[in-house]
Amino acid sequence: AAGVIQSPRHLIKEKRETATLKCYPIPRHDTVYWYQQGPGQDPQFLISFYEKMQSDKGSIPDRFSAQQFSDYHSELNMSSLELGDSALYFCASSPRGGALDSPLHFGNGTRLTVT
Amino acid sequence: DAKTTQPNSMESNEEEPVHLPCNHSTISGTDYIHWYRQLPSQGPEYVIHGLTSNVNNRMASLAIAEDRKSSTLILHRATLRDAAVYYCIRGAGGGADGLTFGKGTHLIIQP
């Protein structure tokens, strides 16, 4: 079965640069979530989108922005990168706005390293 | 604020049942209990979720206390592939709100 696809798998950037992470949800999933997981940390919710509109916001820095496109894929844009942004970034998707019987399906993440 | 409490780690033997506890004493009447697990170098994986009644699926069983202040994830016959961090999360059962991961339980399976 198709899974959530994230690209790139690995990304290395320098401080103050920008980065764009992409997420392709499972077909027919209309809801996308972004999570950040620092080294040795638990996943932290950043932001979610339903039907191309922002739905919920977590601990996303102002330097980050995200959007969901008409084909339901999503992009997380990160500017003025800091060393502390080095982390695994996971995207998850679910169908029907995250309905009661619809769990989140996670991708395998993008590992961002800021040097 | 995750508002759930789990042991930091647990150890079990292969092919034995595993009971992973979770306390959520301040749970509201509409909050579901979700369980996800994360294997090394992978994204979290859905395990099971429930509201009031016990739930079973192909991966596990979820036993929810009558007062809903605690729950137990049951792996009926652990394998080495079940070694992971298990997260108990309380949250709304639907909608596009993000689930808040807290400190999960690191399950170690001994051969």
Side-chain angles (χ1 to χ4, degrees), chain A residues 38-49:
Chain A
Q41 303 295 313
D42 304 297
Q44 297 296 311
F45 171 67
L46 294 178
I47 196 167
S48 63
F49 291 86

Side-chain angles (χ1 to χ4, degrees), chain A residues 31 33 35 37 41-45 48 50 55-56 90 97-101 103-104 106-108, chain B residues 32 36 38 41-46 49 85 87 93-104:
Chain A
T31 308
Y33 312 76
Y35 283 80
Q37 187 171 27
Q41 303 295 313
D42 304 297
Q44 297 296 311
F45 171 67
S48 63
Y50 167 58
S55 178
D56 191 18
F90 291 106
L100 291 173
D101 58 349
L104 274 60
F106 284 81
N108 282 327
Chain B
Y32 276 68
Y36 283 76
Q38 187 173 24
S41 302
Q42 294 188 25
E45 176 188 28
Y46 168 79
H49 78 287
V85 179
Y87 294 96
D97 290 351
L99 293 176
T100 300
F101 286 74
K103 300 293 181 187

Side-chain angles (χ1 to χ4, degrees), chain A:
Chain A
V4 175
I5 297 173
Q6 293 187 244
S7 68
R9 289 300 307 275
H10 302 273
L11 188 60
I12 299 175
K13 291 286 186 178
E14 294 186 356
K15 283 194 306 184
R16 293 179 289 276
E17 286 191 322
T18 61
T20 297
L21 310 185
K22 297 185 179 183
C23 169
Y24 297 88
I26 292 171
R28 292 183 295 282
H29 282 198
D30 52 17
T31 308
V32 169
Y33 312 76
W34 285 98
Y35 283 80
Q36 176 192 59
Q37 187 171 27
Q41 303 295 313
D42 304 297
Q44 297 296 311
F45 171 67
L46 294 178
I47 196 167
S48 63
F49 291 86
Y50 167 58
E51 281 291 343
K52 294 152 278 184
M53 298 290 289
Q54 181 183 309
S55 178
D56 191 18
K57 196 171 181 180
S59 51
I60 185 169
D62 292 340
R63 299 178 289 109
F64 294 6
S65 65
Q67 57 182 324
Q68 185 180 30
F69 295 86
S70 57
D71 64 351
Y72 297 109
H73 94 271
S74 179
E75 294 182 4
L76 178 67
N77 299 294
M78 310 159 72
S79 63
S80 303
L81 286 170
E82 302 172 356
L83 295 178
D85 296 329
S86 295
L88 265 171
Y89 290 83
F90 291 106
C91 172
S93 74
S94 69
R96 295 182 288 133
L100 291 173
D101 58 349
S102 302
L104 274 60
H105 298 261
F106 284 81
N108 282 327
T110 293
R111 182 175 295 281
L112 172 66
T113 302
V114 181
T115 62

Side-chain angles (χ1 to χ4, degrees), chain B residues 7 10-12 16-22 35 61 63 71-76 105 107:
Chain B
M10 289 185 65
E11 200 167 311
S12 183
E16 290 186 355
V18 179
H19 291 234
L20 296 166
C22 179
W35 283 83
S61 295
S71 61
T72 302
L73 177 70
I74 303 165
L75 306 180
H76 295 286
T105 297
L107 177 63

Side-chain angles (χ1 to χ4, degrees), chain B residues 54-102:
Chain B
N54 294 344
V55 185
N56 300 295
N57 66 21
R58 64 175 181 80
M59 288 182 70
S61 295
L62 176 59
I64 302 172
E66 198 168 329
D67 63 6
R68 301 210 329 122
K69 293 185 177 181
S70 66
S71 61
T72 302
L73 177 70
I74 303 165
L75 306 180
H76 295 286
R77 198 162 166 267
T79 69
L80 295 177
R81 287 176 292 181
D82 291 321
V85 179
Y86 285 78
Y87 294 96
C88 168
I89 305 167
R90 49 167 276 202
D97 290 351
L99 293 176
T100 300
F101 286 74

